[in-house]
Amino acid sequence: MVEEVPQVRQYATPGIESTQNRTALKRSVQKTAAVPKFASFKSKQPLLEDNKSTDDSEWRSSEGFRGQDHITGDAVDTTYGASVKKHRATTNQNSAIAAAYVPLRPAKARNTTQGERGYRVKSPSSDDQRQRHRSLHGRLGNDGNSSYGSESSTSDYEDDWPQSAAESPQNKRVELLKIVENDPSNCDAWLKLIDYQDVLIRMGSGSQNLALTRAERQSNAAVKISMYEKALSKAVTMESKETLVIGMMEEGSTIWDSKTLSSKWQGALQTLPGSSRLWTKYLDFRQTDFSNFRYEETRASYIECFLLLRNAEKLPKLTATERYNIQAIYVHVVLRLTLFSREAGYPERAVATWQALLEYEIYRPSSFLTQRMASENDHEKALLTSFEIFWESEVPRIGDDGALGWASFEAGSGAPPQPTIDANTSLASKPDKFGSWANLERQRALDSRVSARTIDDVEENDPYRIVLFSDVRDVLENYPTSLLDRSLLIAGWLAFCHLPPWTRDGESQGTMVLDSAKQFEAHRDTSKVYDHSGAEAAHRIFQVSPIDHELSSETLFSTKRDWISAFGTLPHRYTMDNGPVKVGLLGRTLSALVEAGLGNDTLAEYLLALELQLSPDTVRRIAKKLIKNRPESLRLYNAYACIEYQTMNENRAQNVIVSAINNSRNLGESSQDDAIFLWRTWVWGTLGCRRPKEALERLLAYPDQQVHDNRSAHEMDVDEGLRVRPAVLLRARQALSASLDHFFSLARPVHSFIACDLLIILTYLSNSVSLSSALEAFTASLASLSSYFPSDSPAHELLHQSFAQLLYHHANHVPLFKPATIRETLTASVALFPHNTVLLSVYAWNETRFRVDDRVRTIINDVVLGSTMGDRRKEDKESVIPHYFSLHTELNRSLIAGSNSNTVRNTFEKAISDTAGAHCVGLWKSYVLFEMEEGDLKRARSVWWRGVQACPWAKELWMMGFQELRVGMRDEELKGLYGMMVEKELRMHVDLIELLETNP
């Protein structure tokens, strides 16, 4: 009997002779396909007999409390509340009787069949029956009697629960009830009251140590849901409503079925459409349900999100902030959708979606910008019709070679590209057909990162290779009606490419909804532990990826191994063109955005930094071209100088800086302000070359705002001991302070940070590289910044990063210093910015030098990972990046320092047990590879299957079963695995069953 699975396209259509005909037939093909017999293999653990499935198939109750759902407004009518009231009345009556009777000795029931008054007492027939019995007054003891009536359980009860009336659980509950009655909008009080329900339910069970039964968990969840609904009706702030809704949904997953839970989520999102926290949780819910996961159904959930956002944007009286949040959530949902599609095996559709969005927003014909239709609907229809003509013409799109844009096509320019031919990849002739199939499948997937055209000669008969307008229409139809902030779109595209988060000057990345860390498929270095002896091991601390810090010129243009690079290890993947997108498409897209004038000079700097990483031989040509088009941009001159410093051309870098500084006086005031970037690069470049006297001379020349040809105008003002003439030093300090005040008045946070940084270095050098003097200047600068910018602003974080770099420089170049001073300073910085990988790396490096690695573990566990522990308002704001850093340091910790396989394994378990890392594909894959390197194949397979269940959309995880974990797998198991992948509707380029039949 062949099982019919919906939403699976046919892989081959007999009788179709050309790709164009196959594409035309694409939408007429039925979305059902016969799955081979083995596809119905639905064991929760098909490959590992000794590992239990995490899928919970327990009975889900649909019962709840009588009342009203304060999220959706639906009536909730059940009989559960009545039974609880009846139980409470019975309990109160029994309590009154018990209070009037005082026994002379503890009662101990007799396990006999004859009662004291002659009544027959039937003993349970087995221990299992006694354990299944539930009394209203507690759980039965080993002798079959109530735990409250036995001597053995009385001691347990006394240990578990407080004895004084003031400390009794019921009195504690009464206190919490009084708090919420006096202050109904107090969300924290409601959360404490709701959490205390767990204590009460365990008290009723007789012990805190025994696990709750299924019925107890469900009844407890029903009580909590009723309390959440009551709290929601009193909540005032958005944050409180978000926290309460998330908690209620977690409890609802215990008793509601999938359909009910989905309906509740949609009702909550309609009520709070501007909540990024709720959208993230809802998408997690839809995407991580292993039992019910199907690609097309999950993708439909994303389209539903677009519809809800579109309706929310039409609400009257939206503030500018609310409208911006909706736009940011829209881009976030697009990012999640495209990452999900690519990881499920549909990279063409994912890339094409971003190409369509960028073309639709950036290259829109001017006629649609200047002329509006009579109605908004007519205008949107005209836009979509015009864009459909552009898309179906198959002319080059943004990122393609020779792309001119939608506007140029509308004006009559542009022609389809020449036909291309897919690389000829065929099955290798090896005895292991499954391994050969996996190699071929992965190669086909790598070749399919860009959509084909109907004129192309594609090797495989696969309609997904060509992305039609109908494939991207649902995203464009729900495009925000108001003017979209293009920086959001750019940031989303870069996140999709797994590149560092980009923001404009002064914008905080903080709670940005475009955080793609959770979707990173980073290939971690999972080698065995390393010894820290030697320079190579010391430098490994700074090779952390992914990263989380404010971008600066030091990290953007870093190519040396002794400092952190913003791009981490990603350039190594892109160098071989094995990255998430093709290198050529990435570079051309970013260049097109810069040429369109988007992102101001910061995006142009980002482009040059990326080109330095990927193509250092051509980066100078690109930099000169940009400077020629923007001759007044001192930021680009500064980027060019950074490139020369990183490629070991110090003299050329200084010539660029001197020329730009001397010419800055002829520029406008706004451009002149950017000269401070050049001064800072020059000072740090000289300091990095171990010439502190020359660096101090550069700072003393700052008031002149020009540099003489001999560059030694202040050589006589500084002696070899770094002592400076007081008048010259005062002049430099006053000039920098004046610049700082000027930047404060213009509210320019990055410029203000640079002025503070130069003041700190001036103090440090002029006091004979005194760390204590630098610390005083650092403290004063932070106080000054706090007067104009919040303490968690990018300016503060940049200053903490730069001072950490100064501490690193001091420890490397000064023979005598106090390591405790560096440790205390970095500890304070990490406490303020616990996820900053620059601060964490310098802290770990400092401790590694003295082999006291337990401090690194302590600060990660207590400060970094513990910063949100126990606070449900912050739990969903956690990041997976600290877990990556914890693994990075643990893998590079020596055996002497206490690192071994078990400590690494525990670190992995902690990461995947956390909300942020539970569904991170990169973490699961790294864990599997680690166990394989340890030689424990059984553990590796167990971890792999847990990862597949946590991330059912991740095709790359599934494919590990055919290659990395192939040893010991039977053919039937592999066929069953393939059948499950087809059932989940993951994209398959090569039909394995047909291949096995044709190649026996």
Side-chain angles (χ1 to χ4, degrees):
M1 187 73 180
V2 177
E3 180 183 356
E4 293 291 327
V5 179
Q7 305 296 335
V8 179
R9 301 194 198 190
Q10 294 177 341
Y11 297 113
T13 306
I16 303 301
E17 299 297 330
S18 66
T19 306
Q20 188 167 5
N21 291 335
R22 292 197 302 269
T23 304
L25 185 63
K26 177 181 177 183
R27 290 300 174 262
S28 64
V29 172
Q30 295 181 352
K31 288 195 174 183
T32 59
V35 179
K37 225 177 231 186
F38 52 76
S40 60
F41 179 73
K42 295 183 179 179
S43 170
K44 296 298 184 293
Q45 178 58 288
L47 308 177
L48 306 172
E49 297 178 358
D50 57 340
N51 192 22
K52 294 183 179 180
S53 168
T54 59
D55 178 43
D56 184 8
S57 59
E58 295 180 349
W59 172 83
R60 298 182 183 273
S61 171
S62 59
E63 295 180 348
F65 274 82
R66 188 181 305 273
Q68 184 181 10
D69 189 329
H70 294 282
I71 293 297
T72 64
D74 298 336
V76 180
D77 187 12
T78 68
T79 59
Y80 187 84
S83 62
V84 172
K85 291 180 180 178
K86 181 177 179 180
H87 169 64
R88 290 176 179 171
T90 305
T91 304
N92 293 337
Q93 183 179 1
N94 293 340
S95 300
I97 296 173
Y101 173 71
V102 180
L104 296 177
R105 61 181 179 179
K108 185 173 182 180
R110 302 171 187 174
N111 189 17
T112 64
T113 59
Q114 179 71 27
E116 292 182 0
R117 299 186 180 183
Y119 295 103
R120 301 288 296 179
V121 179
K122 185 177 180 180
S123 300
S125 60
S126 67
D127 292 341
D128 292 340
Q129 288 176 335
R130 289 196 296 270
Q131 291 298 325
R132 286 197 296 266
H133 176 72
R134 281 290 176 270
S135 167
L136 289 177
H137 301 289
R139 194 171 295 187
L140 290 183
N142 294 332
D143 56 358
N145 295 281
S146 172
S147 59
Y148 294 125
S150 64
E151 290 178 346
S152 61
S153 63
T154 301
S155 62
D156 294 339
Y157 177 78
E158 291 173 353
D159 292 339
D160 288 345
W161 309 108
Q163 293 300 299
S164 65
E167 297 178 355
S168 68
Q170 291 294 345
N171 287 344
K172 177 66 174 177
R173 180 176 179 274
V174 170
E175 292 177 5
L176 294 173
L177 281 171
K178 288 181 179 179
I179 295 175
V180 297
E181 288 176 0
N182 295 331
D183 187 6
S185 62
N186 189 335
C187 180
D188 293 332
W190 276 108
L191 292 175
K192 290 179 181 178
L193 177 62
I194 294 170
D195 291 340
Y196 201 69
Q197 181 63 26
D198 294 333
V199 176
L200 297 177
I201 194 70
R202 290 187 176 278
M203 182 185 68
S205 298
S207 175
Q208 287 180 313
N209 300 322
L210 296 178
L212 296 178
T213 64
R214 183 188 313 164
E216 286 173 335
R217 291 198 305 270
Q218 291 172 347
S219 61
N220 191 38
V223 173
K224 284 187 171 184
I225 289 172
S226 178
M227 298 170 74
Y228 273 118
E229 291 174 346
K230 182 69 173 178
L232 276 168
S233 67
K234 307 295 183 182
V236 177
T237 65
M238 169 74 80
E239 184 182 10
S240 297
K241 293 179 180 179
E242 290 173 337
T243 304
L244 292 170
V245 169
I246 291 172
M248 187 176 71
M249 295 303 173
E250 289 176 355
E251 297 297 335
S253 63
T254 305
I255 62 174
W256 294 333
D257 57 27
S258 180
K259 183 178 180 180
T260 303
L261 189 58
S262 179
S263 176
K264 295 286 186 181
W265 268 116
Q266 292 186 19
L269 292 172
Q270 289 176 356
T271 305
L272 302 172
S275 171
S276 59
R277 294 170 64 190
L278 292 188
W279 283 103
T280 300
K281 290 290 184 181
Y282 173 68
L283 294 175
D284 288 343
F285 156 69
R286 297 294 302 181
Q287 192 168 326
T288 58
D289 185 1
F290 179 80
S291 299
N292 300 315
F293 174 81
R294 301 292 185 276
Y295 171 77
E296 291 293 347
E297 293 178 3
T298 306
R299 188 179 186 280
S301 299
Y302 280 95
I303 305 306
E304 291 174 5
C305 292
F306 290 133
L307 293 173
L308 290 174
L309 288 170
R310 182 63 178 264
N311 294 332
E313 194 188 23
K314 295 179 180 179
L315 294 175
K317 298 181 180 179
L318 278 180
T319 64
T321 302
E322 292 172 337
R323 194 173 299 279
Y324 176 84
N325 288 339
I326 291 176
Q327 292 181 359
I329 294 172
Y330 171 84
V331 178
H332 173 65
V333 175
V334 170
L335 174 61
R336 289 283 302 263
L337 170 62
T338 51
L339 286 169
F340 160 69
S341 296
R342 181 174 65 195
E343 292 174 359
Y346 303 86
E348 305 99 328
R349 179 183 283 187
V351 173
T353 299
W354 281 108
Q355 287 181 302
L357 282 172
L358 293 172
E359 285 278 359
Y360 195 75
E361 172 61 31
I362 297 170
Y363 295 105
R364 186 173 300 184
S366 58
S367 59
F368 291 104
L369 300 176
T370 57
Q371 300 177 4
R372 306 290 294 185
M373 301 291 180
S375 68
E376 189 68 30
N377 289 336
D378 292 340
H379 183 76
E380 291 180 14
K381 288 180 181 179
L383 266 175
L384 289 173
T385 301
S386 174
F387 190 80
E388 181 177 7
I389 296 172
F390 161 72
W391 190 269
E392 297 295 349
S393 69
E394 297 191 334
V395 298
R397 304 150 189 163
I398 184 172
D400 295 338
D401 192 14
L404 299 176
W406 177 20
S408 297
F409 173 80
E410 189 77 6
S413 302
Q418 294 297 319
T420 60
I421 302 175
D422 275 358
N424 186 14
T425 53
S426 58
L427 185 67
S429 170
K430 294 182 180 179
D432 182 10
K433 299 297 182 184
F434 291 97
S436 300
W437 169 81
N439 287 330
L440 179 59
E441 178 68 25
R442 279 177 164 167
Q443 185 58 47
R444 292 275 180 89
L446 198 63
D447 295 338
S448 302
R449 287 173 294 170
V450 178
S451 171
R453 264 70 167 182
T454 56
I455 59 176
D456 295 338
D457 183 8
V458 293
E459 181 179 352
E460 50 187 311
N461 185 13
D462 184 357
Y464 287 105
R465 283 289 286 120
I466 300 172
V467 179
L468 304 178
F469 177 73
S470 57
D471 291 321
V472 298
R473 185 186 186 98
D474 45 16
V475 178
L476 297 178
E477 281 181 335
N478 297 286
Y479 195 80
T481 56
S482 56
L483 187 62
L484 182 68
D485 189 335
R486 292 178 174 180
S487 64
L488 290 173
L489 215 54
I490 297 172
W493 162 250
L494 294 176
F496 173 76
C497 298
H498 287 179
L499 293 176
W502 167 85
T503 55
R504 292 175 298 193
D505 279 349
E507 291 184 350
S508 176
Q509 298 173 20
T511 57
M512 195 67 175
V513 295
L514 300 177
D515 177 21
S516 65
K518 190 173 182 179
Q519 288 78 26
F520 261 86
E521 50 176 330
H523 290 73
R524 307 286 2 103
D525 182 359
T526 54
S527 303
K528 296 183 179 180
V529 290
Y530 300 92
D531 190 359
H532 276 201
S533 58
E536 173 66 21
H539 291 162
R540 289 184 62 86
I541 279 293
F542 297 107
Q543 310 307 312
V544 61
S545 179
I547 57 93
D548 184 6
H549 63 257
E550 288 291 332
L551 298 185
S552 63
S553 57
E554 289 78 24
T555 58
L556 266 178
F557 293 95
S558 175
T559 57
K560 300 177 181 177
R561 307 188 67 185
D562 59 349
W563 194 243
I564 298 170
S565 170
F567 296 94
T569 59
L570 288 176
H572 299 294
R573 296 180 62 192
Y574 274 109
T575 300
M576 302 299 295
D577 203 8
N578 294 329
V581 298
K582 288 193 173 183
V583 173
L585 185 140
L586 172 62
R588 288 189 293 267
T589 301
L590 201 53
S591 297
L593 296 175
V594 171
E595 290 175 5
L598 303 180
N600 54 51
D601 290 338
T602 59
L603 189 61
E605 288 177 329
Y606 193 102
L607 170 63
L608 292 177
L610 181 62
E611 288 292 339
L612 176 64
Q613 300 287 339
L614 301 181
S615 181
D617 296 334
T618 61
V619 65
R620 290 186 181 86
R621 177 177 56 81
I622 297 174
K624 292 177 181 179
K625 180 181 177 181
L626 289 174
I627 291 174
K628 183 178 180 181
N629 295 332
R630 304 181 187 184
E632 295 188 357
S633 175
L634 296 182
R635 297 282 294 267
L636 292 180
Y637 279 100
N638 179 68
Y640 190 12
C642 289
I643 292 170
E644 296 296 354
Y645 270 121
Q646 291 298 322
T647 53
M648 310 304 294
N649 292 313
E650 185 186 359
N651 289 334
R652 191 179 298 177
Q654 292 195 53
N655 291 335
V656 172
I657 291 175
V658 170
S659 175
I661 289 177
N662 289 336
N663 292 333
S664 64
R665 308 184 77 173
N666 302 323
L667 304 177
E669 182 179 353
S670 178
S671 297
Q672 288 184 24
D673 291 343
D674 291 339
I676 197 167
F677 287 87
L678 294 162
W679 287 100
R680 182 173 183 271
T681 298
W682 200 9
V683 169
W684 270 107
T686 308
L687 198 60
C689 294
R690 301 189 179 190
R691 298 199 299 273
K693 181 177 182 294
E694 188 175 335
L696 184 55
E697 293 173 4
R698 303 292 172 252
L699 286 168
L700 296 177
Y702 179 79
D704 304 331
Q705 288 298 305
Q706 62 177 349
V707 183
H708 299 287
D709 292 337
N710 56 12
R711 305 175 190 172
S712 58
H714 295 275
E715 184 176 0
M716 303 303 298
D717 296 327
V718 186
D719 62 16
E720 295 300 325
L722 298 182
R723 288 183 290 272
V724 187
R725 292 171 50 194
V728 177
L729 179 62
L730 178 62
R731 180 171 176 264
R733 184 174 286 112
Q734 288 177 341
L736 286 169
S737 298
S739 295
L740 179 60
D741 293 336
H742 172 67
F743 298 140
F744 280 156
S745 65
L746 297 177
R748 307 188 74 173
V750 177
H751 292 71
S752 301
F753 140 70
I754 294 178
C756 289
D757 190 40
L758 292 179
L759 277 169
I760 293 170
I761 298 176
L762 177 63
T763 304
Y764 171 72
L765 294 176
S766 62
N767 287 276
S768 302
V769 294
S770 168
L771 187 58
S772 59
S773 299
L775 275 170
E776 293 177 2
F778 174 61
T779 304
S781 296
L782 288 176
S784 299
L785 285 176
S786 298
S787 301
Y788 294 89
F789 307 106
S791 59
D792 59 348
S793 68
H796 281 80
E797 189 167 0
L798 283 168
L799 189 59
H800 279 275
Q801 288 176 194
S802 184
F803 195 71
Q805 186 177 7
L806 183 62
L807 293 175
Y808 175 72
H809 170 83
H810 183 82
N812 276 304
H813 297 90
V814 176
L816 297 176
F817 64 93
K818 295 181 178 180
T821 303
I822 296 179
R823 181 184 307 117
E824 292 169 1
T825 305
L826 290 172
T827 300
S829 297
V830 170
L832 290 173
F833 303 99
H835 295 171
N836 188 294
T837 46
V838 172
L839 303 177
L840 289 171
S841 297
V842 178
Y843 183 93
W845 172 84
N846 183 60
E847 299 305 320
T848 299
R849 297 166 64 245
F850 301 99
R851 293 185 176 273
V852 189
D853 287 345
D854 279 341
R855 290 198 183 102
V856 179
R857 286 176 176 165
T858 300
I859 199 169
I860 290 175
N861 293 329
D862 297 346
V863 178
V864 180
L865 298 177
S867 60
T868 59
M869 190 174 299
D871 189 348
R872 288 207 279 174
R873 292 174 180 265
K874 297 180 180 179
E875 282 178 356
D876 56 300
K877 298 180 181 179
E878 293 176 348
S879 170
V880 74
I881 292 179
H883 289 293
Y884 270 115
F885 184 83
S886 179
L887 286 167
H888 178 73
T889 55
E890 194 66 42
L891 286 166
N892 287 277
R893 184 177 284 115
S894 64
L895 291 171
I896 298 176
S899 180
N900 53 49
S901 300
N902 289 329
T903 59
V904 175
R905 190 174 291 117
N906 290 337
T907 306
F908 270 115
E909 287 293 337
K910 182 181 294 184
I912 61 178
S913 299
D914 187 48
T915 304
H919 306 289
C920 179
V921 179
L923 281 177
W924 284 107
K925 186 171 183 179
S926 300
Y927 196 0
V928 174
L929 294 176
F930 166 76
E931 294 293 2
M932 290 184 64
E933 285 209 9
E934 291 296 310
D936 196 333
L937 184 60
K938 184 177 180 180
R939 280 184 184 270
R941 292 176 65 183
S942 177
V943 171
W944 165 73
W945 183 244
R946 290 165 58 195
V948 166
Q949 291 180 305
C951 310
W953 72 91
K955 179 184 174 183
E956 187 63 25
L957 267 180
W958 289 85
M959 293 296 294
M960 294 182 76
F962 295 94
Q963 285 188 313
E964 289 86 351
L965 300 170
R966 172 70 176 89
V967 179
M969 301 273 278
R970 299 188 303 271
D971 290 355
E972 283 69 23
E973 290 179 327
L974 293 174
K975 289 181 180 179
L977 181 62
Y978 176 81
M980 293 184 70
M981 294 175 68
V982 173
E983 183 181 352
K984 301 295 182 186
E985 300 175 1
L986 302 182
R987 168 83 170 284
M988 297 298 165
H989 297 265
V990 183
D991 191 328
L992 175 61
I993 304 309
E994 180 182 348
L995 185 148
L996 293 175
E997 292 175 352
T998 56
N999 298 275

